[in-house]
Amino acid sequence: MRKKTGSTVLALALIALLAIFARATTAQDQNQNQNQDQGQYQNQDQQAPSTDQQDQSQDQQQDQNQQPVDPPTRVARLSYMTGSVSFQPSGTQDWVDASPNRPLTTGDNLWADQDSRGELHIGSTAIRLYSQTGISFLNLNDEATQIQLAQGSLDIHVREIGDKESYEIDTPNLAFSIFQPGEYRIDVDPNGQSSVIEVRSGAGQAVGNSQQFDLNAGRRYTLNGTDQLTIDAQDLGPRDDFEAWCASRDQREDESVSARYISRDVTGYEDLDAYGTWSQDPTYGPVWVPSGVAVGWAPYHYGHWVFVAPWGWTWVEDEPWGFAPFHYGRWAIIGGGWAWVPGPVAVVAVGGPVVRPVYAPALVAFVGGGGFSVSFAIGGGAGVAWFPLGPRDVWVPGFRASPRYVQYVNVSNTRVVNATQITTVYNNVYVRRDVTVVNNYTYANNVRAVTAVRQDTFVSGRPVGRATVAFQAGDIQHPHVVAGGAIRPTAQSRVGVLARAKATPPAALANRSFVAKMRPAPQVIPIGHTQTVAASHSYRAVTPANNGPRGTNNGAANRSNNNTQRPGFQSFSRGNNNGNSGANGGTSNANGANQPNNRGLRPFTPPPPRNTQSGATNANGQPSNGTSENRTNGFQPFNRNNNTNTNGTQQPRNTTNANDSGRANQSTERQDRQEQKQQQKQEKKQDKENKKDESK
């Protein structure tokens, strides 16, 4: 028998420890499901007022026997707008003026009126709207970005596409799938009879009914008709005003200084340069300090709360830079002022995937320890008070979540919290139901850090800064709880106090359908419509011809081999983790050999801007092995896509040649059937939640 090397023994020992931890956390979650009382720790979106409390109790009892459904780890953000841009939150019929920094997700609609523009970001991907353009988010989750373009012009710049990740733009006469990172523009005429697609870089595929067309870089494609598509391809011409504006916005992101310190997957990173400065702290590493804030300014003080499903209560900051620092990382008082401490640029377990930053609705804790389920006496009435989490504090979601999700959302957003701390807090809050653990948090008793308002201000989404309630140190050190039960949202909680929209989509969109390859989320109400896609059948499903890898109905499988994604990046699935990702003791990251090893976790430096030479080192001075800010050892990576083989290496994709097309077709068909079954299960679960929401 060959003698094992020391590194192999160490790797096997690490795998054994991770397997033990995974079994322990699974057992703890099952014990929680068996013992928790009715109504405890349910998803906040399921806590909306109900007229039938008996049915609600039965639904909660049934949910106790199911594993928690973790929310997506990313959202969209409206980062810039000019003119009149309107917003319709998911599940409502109200159009209001759009608000920068409000998270956007599946089911949300946007309309940019005459002479207006808007810009959104989903991590590093930029999406820009031109005049008289209407879109709906049909799906926005970890694996799929699916957008309906009902009318107008949409420019999308995709910087990277992870494994199993798909981008699809659906118009009235075709579905366009993006296969490679690149720059794309899609136009839909006001009558919905024609779509024009410009591919400046990258590659994709347009499908309508039984027809499909591969679209390549450097060409402008005009596709006319609905029942039968005709295509005309021409070379690209010079950029118009809209495209020139998009290019200038891209250049701004290319030159971002903040991208040297944090991952581009941190939505909102591009706005930090203009509103603050970076420095190196000996304890926490790179920190960002906002400039121009008022005396006495504190995080989570100037903004308002809204209710956004499936996360529930979500903070919306007033400052133009106020997205990334309030949904990622932590805050700390350094040198007498507040500084934002981001999480690692990226981390990877030995032999496992890179984990990208995870969005959180608000990284705060609540006075009294009860989160959204407690009010206390303050200012002569019932109040709610909260404070920002410090770098060593564990965030506990207000919704029921799996142990792995709680681990993942914390490790990706702070450098100095390890798996043992996270497990301890999870057990205290979810298993033992001891919420007083937050009283030991960094800023729990700091009057300077705590913000308090009356409960009606919180629920109605009114601005917090003008409605804060004065309190004494004793009020937060020894809070007097006066009301139990969840703080329930109202209809206004989903919209806030935003003004009614000055402009809304044209009436013609009410009868406009669209073509889609991916199945839209059933709860989505397409822009201009009044019924969900599940009730109105407002789209036509199409499937491309099955002629090999480029003919499948899986956007990820359709990408060609020259997909230029970020080194070491891999997307994830909330499915099972087989625990074998590190069996070979190696790493799936191409740069892994050059990264310092911190007991199985490696901090990654971000990619250089496009105008820099390859091989340039990161100027952020990332801490070396052994520093306190990188002590994220011991956690198990949250692998969203279980597509590793038995020895931990990533399965190759899109390597089938013409001679292997028969085997590729068979493999694709099996994959499609499996994905269809999984999609049906998810839709049944979603339909049940929709019926529950409608009954309320």
Side-chain angles (χ1 to χ4, degrees), residues 233-303:
Q234 299 178 356
D235 291 338
L236 283 177
R239 296 180 184 267
D240 61 13
D241 289 343
F242 176 56
E243 292 171 322
W245 174 73
C246 294
S248 67
R249 300 290 294 179
D250 284 336
Q251 183 178 4
R252 171 177 173 265
E253 296 176 25
D254 293 342
E255 298 171 353
S256 172
V257 174
S258 296
R260 304 175 187 172
Y261 298 91
I262 57 177
S263 168
R264 290 185 186 268
D265 290 317
V266 174
T267 300
Y269 78 92
E270 68 282 352
D271 283 331
L272 299 180
D273 292 355
Y275 296 99
T277 56
W278 288 93
S279 61
Q280 192 77 11
D281 181 79
T283 300
Y284 302 120
V287 298
W288 180 83
V289 179
S291 58
V293 296
V295 176
W297 181 91
Y300 302 98
H301 186 85
Y302 296 97

Side-chain angles (χ1 to χ4, degrees), residues 545-674:
N546 193 0
N547 61 349
R550 292 189 70 84
T552 67
N553 195 24
N554 184 332
N558 283 329
R559 292 191 296 275
S560 61
N561 288 328
N562 62 350
N563 177 10
T564 56
Q565 62 187 40
R566 182 179 61 192
F569 176 81
Q570 185 177 351
S571 65
F572 334 89
S573 171
R574 288 186 294 275
N576 294 331
N577 190 326
N578 61 11
N580 295 327
S581 60
N584 64 351
T587 174
S588 61
N589 189 298
N591 297 335
N594 298 324
Q595 304 297 330
N597 189 334
N598 290 323
R599 300 182 182 181
L601 292 172
R602 298 188 173 109
F604 273 59
T605 57
R610 284 192 293 180
N611 58 354
T612 62
Q613 298 180 359
S614 61
T617 58
N618 186 354
N620 62 352
Q622 289 290 333
S624 59
N625 181 25
T627 58
S628 61
E629 55 269 29
N630 285 331
R631 288 179 295 172
T632 53
N633 52 299
F635 93 101
Q636 185 175 2
F638 184 39
N639 188 4
R640 294 195 190 88
N641 280 328
N642 186 9
N643 60 338
T644 53
N645 58 26
T646 55
N647 67 356
T649 59
Q650 189 66 29
Q651 294 283 13
R653 303 184 65 87
N654 299 335
T655 57
T656 306
N657 57 32
N659 295 330
D660 295 330
S661 61
R663 290 193 298 271
N665 291 344
Q666 295 176 1
S667 176
T668 296
E669 290 173 357
R670 288 195 299 270
Q671 184 178 6
D672 286 347
R673 287 195 297 269
Q674 293 173 355

Side-chain angles (χ1 to χ4, degrees), residues 144-288:
T145 299
Q146 183 184 15
I147 299 174
Q148 176 205 4
L149 175 60
Q151 174 184 312
S153 302
L154 188 72
D155 184 279
I156 178 169
H157 182 186
V158 181
R159 291 181 179 269
E160 59 192 27
I161 301 180
D163 184 52
K164 297 286 287 186
E165 189 175 5
S166 300
Y167 285 85
E168 180 177 310
I169 310 299
D170 297 329
T171 78
N173 68 333
L174 60 84
F176 175 59
S177 297
I178 294 174
F179 293 160
Q180 297 179 15
E183 298 177 56
Y184 307 85
R185 174 174 173 172
I186 304 96
D187 296 88
V188 173
D189 74 325
N191 296 323
Q193 300 295 313
S194 175
S195 298
V196 178
I197 301 176
E198 296 182 0
V199 184
R200 292 206 167 267
S201 60
Q205 185 182 82
V207 179
N209 287 338
S210 60
Q211 299 170 280
Q212 68 181 49
F213 304 94
D214 289 344
L215 310 185
N216 300 311
R219 304 283 281 173
R220 182 179 189 269
Y221 302 89
T222 302
L223 298 103
N224 295 307
T226 54
D227 297 331
Q228 186 76 17
L229 289 179
T230 62
I231 185 169
D232 176 62
Q234 299 178 356
D235 291 338
L236 283 177
R239 296 180 184 267
D240 61 13
D241 289 343
F242 176 56
E243 292 171 322
W245 174 73
C246 294
S248 67
R249 300 290 294 179
D250 284 336
Q251 183 178 4
R252 171 177 173 265
E253 296 176 25
D254 293 342
E255 298 171 353
S256 172
V257 174
S258 296
R260 304 175 187 172
Y261 298 91
I262 57 177
S263 168
R264 290 185 186 268
D265 290 317
V266 174
T267 300
Y269 78 92
E270 68 282 352
D271 283 331
L272 299 180
D273 292 355
Y275 296 99
T277 56
W278 288 93
S279 61
Q280 192 77 11
D281 181 79
T283 300
Y284 302 120
V287 298
W288 180 83

Side-chain angles (χ1 to χ4, degrees), residues 10 58 70 183 203 206 294 414 453 467 571 580 691:
L10 179 61
Q58 291 174 352
D70 295 325
E183 298 177 56
T414 180
V453 296
S571 65
N580 295 327
K691 291 178 181 179

Side-chain angles (χ1 to χ4, degrees), residues 473-494:
D475 293 332
I476 59 176
Q477 293 172 0
H478 306 287
H480 174 58
V481 176
V482 296
I487 300 178
R488 303 185 185 279
T490 64
Q492 188 175 352
S493 301
R494 301 178 187 273

